[in-house]
Amino acid sequence: MTETLNFINVCRGQISIFRKSFNALFGRNAGGTTLTISVIAISLLIPIVFYLLINNVLVLTENMKTGRELTVYFKDNVSAENASEIRDAFSKDYRIQEATLITAEDAMESFSQSLGITDADKWLLNDNPLPNAIMLTPKSEYLTESELNKMIAEIEKSKEVLLVQLDKQWVNRLNSIIKFLNATTIGIGCILLLSVILSITNCISSIIVKHKEEIEVMKLVGATNSYIITPYVYLGMWFGFIGGAIAIWISAIIVYVAGTLIYNIAESYGSHIEIFGINIVEIFVVTGSSALIAAIVAFVSARVNIARIEPNI
Amino acid sequence: MIEFSNVSKIYPHGQSSALENVSLKIAEGEMVFLTGHSGAGKSTVLRIISGMEKVTAGTVYFGGNNITRLSKSQLPYYRRLIGMIFQDHKLMMNKTVAENVALPLLIKNLTMEEAMMSVEHALQKVGLLSKINTYPLYLSAGEQQRVGIARAIVAKPKVLLADEPTGNLDYALSQEIMSLFLELNSDGMTVVMATHDLDLVASSHKRSIELQYGKVISDLVI
């Protein structure tokens, strides 16, 4: 019973300290805390923007079919019916998003139109030299060089296949861009994390220096270091949470503005592009992790600084 | 209650000893003055009792326990047994009188509401209940000192240590504060007070330990 009461008292005490630490954000240290929260917000905003950029690029490329296809050309002895059966088999392959049959007749029609050959001129071509073909669109997760090479090697083994063609250059470029963006995001994120750590450390240290006399008195009356440190840990947590929330809010504005502009541009070209922002799970991850990291940094900084303060009479 | 056994204290880079082979005993419920000129070692004795200083040699006992071996983690809990009063009060100016006095209770995870009864009782004892929501900045020197005393007694410590509590006060206020200490002592509180005001010591008729250059030169009841 006593232990339960003690536990309840401890919880109530912690809730009180937690609330007071929020009020402390806007007290006499308002300038320093505002600056620190701003640094955290900007430090989080840049990686969030890069992350959204990468995600939207991946989604856009998912929807863009040009340049992602494998074109499988069949030998002359493969009829359109045979090609159709092979197309059906490819449609069931787990790596393939779409398989489209292009018969020799379809190919000739398209070819003629592109060259401006009229029906009256077609008699010049005795036979249709074009083969039946299938256009395969792999799923985005199988667009890596190794997967594509593996797919091409498998298809080329088939006795019906004459040739498999792929615009590798486009795929390689896309993969390189995405790798670059990923590496840049991580690199910038690490540098900004360092700036966040330094900013929080500096802010907590300066607040503790301002409270030096108060801390001395607390130690004199028997306050433990953990009791003294706790408000600063909660303060750090608030820094991280609010900084993260601001970063998300600004990223939402950026997505809205950029999305509107891109949508209008795409519409003028007869296309439809939608930009995606941060989802609810990602919001929790960003605010939660920034609050946690900030709390840890605040704990370390407070512990070091408070240990240096000893009461004096 | 408190026992010094051949205690010496030499500060780093010090030319002489702050305390040299000091032995004394203070019983529970006693009121003892530590007197002597500036630098005699009075404050050093209080600092050692409160755990602010480690001894260079010797042993100090508090309630039968050797406090010279206290670890850093044990020190806060030991300090809760002691109430300290300072010449410069050491009040938190940005907190009310109630919040200042409640501090020794808040650190034990009591809420302000739970501490209020004890706070009001302590303030009533020192005659400052009417100032409970005032900020120390708006109090006189004597009132600030009484708030310091209220804070020292609110958690019912085993001993009160006072370092020159009347040092910044005029004679009348000093008498007022001294009366308060005598009253607390008569209630059973052990009081150890460092002072250079011999008039106050003389008027109290209590035990006085005189220090000179870190040594006890006299120990008698005036």
Side-chain angles (χ1 to χ4, degrees):
Chain A
M1 183 69 177
T2 313
E3 283 176 4
T4 311
L5 280 171
N6 283 343
F7 177 73
I8 291 169
N9 278 341
V10 167
C11 288
R12 282 162 68 187
Q14 291 298 311
I15 291 168
S16 173
I17 296 170
F18 185 70
R19 286 206 325 250
K20 280 181 188 170
S21 65
F22 181 75
N23 294 335
L25 286 171
F26 312 110
R28 51 188 174 151
N29 305 303
T33 55
T34 305
L35 193 63
T36 303
I37 290 170
S38 304
V39 168
I40 294 171
I42 292 166
S43 301
L44 286 170
L45 179 62
I46 296 170
I48 288 173
V49 166
F50 270 88
Y51 171 77
L52 290 174
L53 178 65
I54 293 168
N55 273 2
N56 279 284
V57 164
L58 284 173
V59 168
L60 279 171
T61 53
E62 178 81 29
N63 295 332
M64 283 167 65
K65 293 192 178 166
T66 309
R68 295 173 62 229
E69 299 89 6
L70 291 170
T71 308
V72 181
Y73 296 101
F74 293 111
K75 291 176 181 168
D76 289 340
N77 60 353
V78 175
S79 67
E81 291 75 25
N82 283 351
S84 178
E85 283 168 13
I86 296 170
R87 186 274 315 269
D88 291 340
F90 273 124
S91 295
K92 292 172 188 167
D93 190 316
Y94 66 91
R95 297 168 292 182
I96 303 297
Q97 187 174 312
E98 196 178 341
T100 310
L101 173 67
I102 304 169
T103 61
E105 287 75 27
D106 293 335
M108 175 54 81
E109 189 60 38
S110 176
F111 182 63
S112 303
Q113 280 177 11
S114 64
L115 289 180
I117 298 172
T118 62
D119 286 340
D121 300 324
K122 280 183 187 169
W123 65 270
L124 289 168
L125 296 166
N126 290 326
D127 290 312
N128 182 353
L130 299 175
N132 291 308
I134 293 175
M135 197 173 288
L136 299 174
T137 308
K139 290 179 182 168
S140 57
E141 54 263 41
Y142 296 101
L143 273 181
T144 62
E145 192 164 341
S146 59
E147 287 292 337
L148 288 170
N149 286 340
K150 196 171 145 190
M151 224 183 283
I152 291 169
E154 279 176 26
I155 297 170
E156 280 179 344
K157 280 182 193 168
S158 176
K159 59 182 185 324
E160 290 95 350
V161 171
L162 174 68
L163 175 69
V164 180
Q165 241 180 4
L166 167 71
D167 182 3
K168 269 195 184 183
Q169 193 178 28
W170 191 95
V171 172
N172 287 344
R173 279 184 192 156
L174 176 65
N175 285 339
S176 299
I177 290 168
I178 289 173
K179 269 186 199 170
F180 171 73
L181 285 174
N182 275 333
T184 306
T185 304
I186 291 169
I188 290 175
C190 289
I191 293 168
L192 292 170
L193 178 64
L194 188 62
S195 78
V196 165
I197 289 170
L198 290 172
S199 183
I200 293 172
T201 302
N202 182 58
C203 188
I204 296 289
S205 299
S206 63
I207 292 173
I208 287 173
V209 165
K210 281 185 192 171
H211 292 166
K212 183 171 178 277
E213 284 184 14
E214 201 173 309
I215 291 169
E216 282 180 2
V217 173
M218 288 171 83
K219 284 195 170 189
L220 272 170
V221 300
T224 56
N225 279 352
S226 59
Y227 178 86
I228 299 170
I229 285 167
T230 301
Y232 300 102
V233 174
Y234 286 138
L235 192 62
M237 198 186 295
W238 281 118
F239 285 164
F241 178 77
I242 294 173
I246 292 173
I248 286 165
W249 180 69
I250 296 174
S251 73
I253 294 174
I254 291 171
V255 165
Y256 175 75
V257 171
T260 307
L261 290 169
I262 291 169
Y263 179 85
N264 290 336
I265 292 168
E267 281 287 304
S268 68
Y269 281 94
S271 192
H272 178 73
I273 295 176
E274 208 175 311
I275 303 294
F276 297 95
I278 203 160
N279 64 37
I280 191 80
V281 170
E282 288 160 343
I283 289 172
F284 277 115
V285 168
V286 167
T287 50
S289 56
S290 67
L292 179 64
I293 290 169
I296 291 170
V297 172
F299 171 77
V300 173
S301 174
R303 195 178 160 143
V304 166
N305 283 285
I306 282 165
R308 288 189 195 140
I309 297 174
E310 281 301 325
N312 207 347
I313 54 168
Chain B
M1 170 123 269
I2 299 170
E3 184 182 343
F4 274 52
S5 176
N6 301 312
V7 170
S8 295
K9 173 68 185 177
I10 303 171
Y11 287 103
H13 312 300
Q15 297 292 325
S16 57
S17 305
L19 288 180
E20 195 176 323
N21 212 27
V22 168
S23 291
L24 55 88
K25 283 184 186 176
I26 299 170
E28 192 170 344
E30 243 194 307
M31 183 160 179
V32 176
F33 290 98
L34 300 174
T35 61
H37 60 80
S38 229
K42 307 185 295 295
S43 294
T44 306
V45 169
L46 295 183
R47 289 168 66 87
I48 288 171
I49 296 171
S50 64
M52 277 191 265
E53 292 288 355
K54 290 274 185 198
V55 301
T56 309
T59 319
V60 180
Y61 296 92
F62 185 98
N65 299 309
N66 183 349
I67 64 164
T68 49
R69 288 185 187 166
L70 282 177
S71 63
K72 276 190 178 176
S73 59
Q74 291 171 313
L75 199 51
Y77 300 99
Y78 165 69
R79 285 190 178 144
R80 294 178 189 185
L81 304 173
I82 297 169
M84 290 212 66
I85 300 131
F86 313 95
Q87 186 175 355
D88 59 353
H89 328 304
K90 291 203 184 300
L91 299 178
M92 296 182 283
M93 294 298 171
N94 61 332
K95 296 200 189 304
T96 63
V97 164
E99 287 166 335
N100 270 281
V101 173
L103 184 60
L105 300 174
L106 296 177
I107 61 165
K108 294 179 183 178
N109 288 316
L110 265 67
T111 61
M112 199 61 202
E113 292 74 30
E114 287 162 341
M116 274 319 284
M117 197 188 292
S118 299
V119 167
E120 285 168 1
H121 184 259
L123 284 171
Q124 196 159 34
K125 191 80 183 168
V126 302
L128 281 180
L129 191 54
S130 60
K131 308 278 183 176
I132 192 166
N133 291 317
T134 312
Y135 286 88
L137 199 58
Y138 303 109
L139 300 177
S140 67
E143 286 172 333
Q144 287 182 1
Q145 189 58 287
R146 282 191 277 161
V147 172
I149 294 170
R151 183 181 64 194
I153 64 173
V154 73
K156 296 183 172 52
K158 290 192 184 299
V159 65
L160 275 184
L161 303 180
D163 191 8
E164 305 279 2
T166 60
N168 286 342
L169 306 176
D170 60 33
Y171 181 76
L173 280 172
S174 298
Q175 288 290 338
E176 208 178 291
I177 297 298
M178 191 53 63
S179 300
L180 193 48
F181 277 112
L182 289 168
E183 192 185 325
L184 289 168
N185 178 238
S186 69
D187 290 339
M189 185 79 73
T190 309
V191 179
V192 182
M193 185 185 298
T195 182
H196 61 266
D197 191 335
L198 296 178
D199 290 334
L200 280 176
V201 175
S203 62
S204 67
H205 307 292
K206 294 289 181 183
R207 180 181 168 198
S208 170
I209 298 173
E210 190 180 351
L211 293 152
Q212 198 176 67
Y213 301 116
K215 293 177 190 172
V216 174
I217 57 167
S218 76
D219 184 349
L220 42 84
V221 177
I222 297 174

